[in-house]
Amino acid sequence: MPAGARKLTPEPGRSGRARIAPDQRQRLAPGLTIGADYRLERPLGRRGRVWLATDASGLQVALKSGPRAALAEEHAAVAALAHPNILAVKELIDVEAGCFSVAEYLPGGDLVSLAGLHARHWLRAVGALIDALEYLHGRGLVHRDLKPRNVMLDEGENARLIDFGSALPVGSAWSRGGTTVVPPARGSDPVTFGDDLFALASLLHELLHGVPAGHAPRRPVPAGSMELARLVDSWLATEVESGRPDLLQFRAVIKSMGMDQGISA
């Protein structure tokens, strides 16, 4: 496992804890126990698919529910990755209540809350995100659903890339799936790393200007962020992928901004 990568170690099960009965399948609620180990505390997010839970040792974890086949595929894909800026998963459990992927709990929120703030608030997280993308692309994978909501922070404000439900190997046949940010005029050509780079540019636009690309009004950016803003605009405005900046150029600009502000980016 690469240096800095985190792996969550399963704890022994608790005996005597009641499991969710079949008739409670659609009624997840605080206090219920999933399997033998995880006591539900409260839902995370708006859709109720992810819950905060406490395991046998008192460690807080996140439980994500979903259709068995899709969730198992996503869990296996993330479990095969080992990078400090990619969500660490613990185990997949399949009980009467449904199928759940157990992962680390990230209490620091997501990048949505930092949109429009000065770069010093999100620069380190973006540098970490670029690290995660380089690792992912090095393994031939394209995330395909990169957006501020899918970059979360732990208690130390260290970034994690989450939600790999739309990820595909580079060169795969394009599938709309759950992908949110799609390059304009995206046809049925095979999946490319450029799909993630367009989404990265869109994410940075939202952080820089406080609104998604194509929305108005855009907040002006300070002088120290102008080079990054120009790089983002060139990605979003250029139709030919070969003429767009690559991930190394994004890294170089983020690093120079961090040096200027005394931030490790």
Side-chain angles (χ1 to χ4, degrees):
M1 180 178 292
R6 299 149 294 104
K7 183 176 181 180
L8 298 179
T9 303
E11 300 289 339
R14 285 177 285 189
S15 60
R17 297 296 298 272
R19 299 192 180 202
I20 297 177
D23 62 353
Q24 294 175 312
R25 190 166 312 186
Q26 303 300 323
R27 293 189 290 143
L28 299 181
L32 295 177
T33 301
I34 300 294
D37 289 316
Y38 304 105
R39 183 180 186 276
L40 297 183
E41 304 294 342
R42 58 181 172 85
L44 300 172
R46 298 171 297 177
R47 296 188 293 173
R49 291 186 58 203
V50 183
W51 280 73
L52 174 65
T54 304
D55 74 1
S57 68
L59 175 69
Q60 290 185 313
V61 296
L63 266 63
K64 179 180 180 179
S65 63
R68 283 174 169 80
L71 190 64
E73 183 177 358
E74 179 184 358
H75 180 92
V78 180
L81 305 173
H83 190 276
N85 301 117
I86 290 177
L87 180 73
V89 295
K90 179 176 180 179
E91 63 176 324
L92 186 74
I93 54 178
D94 196 352
V95 293
E96 290 176 328
C99 190
F100 300 85
S101 177
V102 185
E104 63 178 330
Y105 170 52
L106 301 170
D110 55 40
L111 291 190
V112 175
S113 62
L114 304 183
L117 299 183
H118 191 279
R120 63 176 172 270
H121 295 287
W122 45 259
L123 199 61
R124 188 161 67 95
V126 170
L129 171 60
I130 290 174
D131 284 346
L133 285 176
E134 286 182 336
Y135 170 81
L136 200 64
H137 291 179
R139 296 176 65 90
L141 294 174
V142 182
H143 185 273
R144 294 205 319 134
D145 200 16
L146 186 59
K147 56 186 176 182
R149 195 169 300 282
N150 283 344
V151 182
M152 298 197 68
L153 307 172
D154 66 12
E155 64 281 355
E157 297 187 348
N158 300 302
R160 305 283 196 281
L161 180 58
I162 70 166
D163 201 343
F164 285 74
S166 298
L168 286 173
V170 66
S172 298
W174 173 263
S175 169
R176 184 66 171 84
T179 305
T180 304
V181 181
V182 181
R186 179 65 165 94
S188 58
D189 293 338
V191 172
T192 73
F193 297 132
D195 292 316
D196 276 353
L197 287 172
F198 180 86
L200 174 63
S202 298
L203 178 151
L204 288 169
H205 182 285
E206 189 165 347
L207 291 176
L208 285 163
H209 297 287
V211 294
H215 290 65
R218 301 199 324 173
R219 294 182 188 174
V221 299
S225 298
M226 286 302 298
E227 186 178 359
L228 180 60
R230 285 192 291 267
L231 194 65
V232 166
D233 286 345
S234 70
W235 238 106
L236 298 178
T238 305
E239 294 185 5
V240 181
E241 187 171 311
S242 61
R244 291 168 167 163
D246 60 20
L247 202 53
L248 292 178
Q249 289 173 280
F250 279 110
R251 170 180 289 288
V253 173
I254 292 295
K255 184 176 181 180
S256 67
M257 290 173 64
M259 292 174 62
D260 290 343
Q261 300 179 39
I263 299 172
S264 176

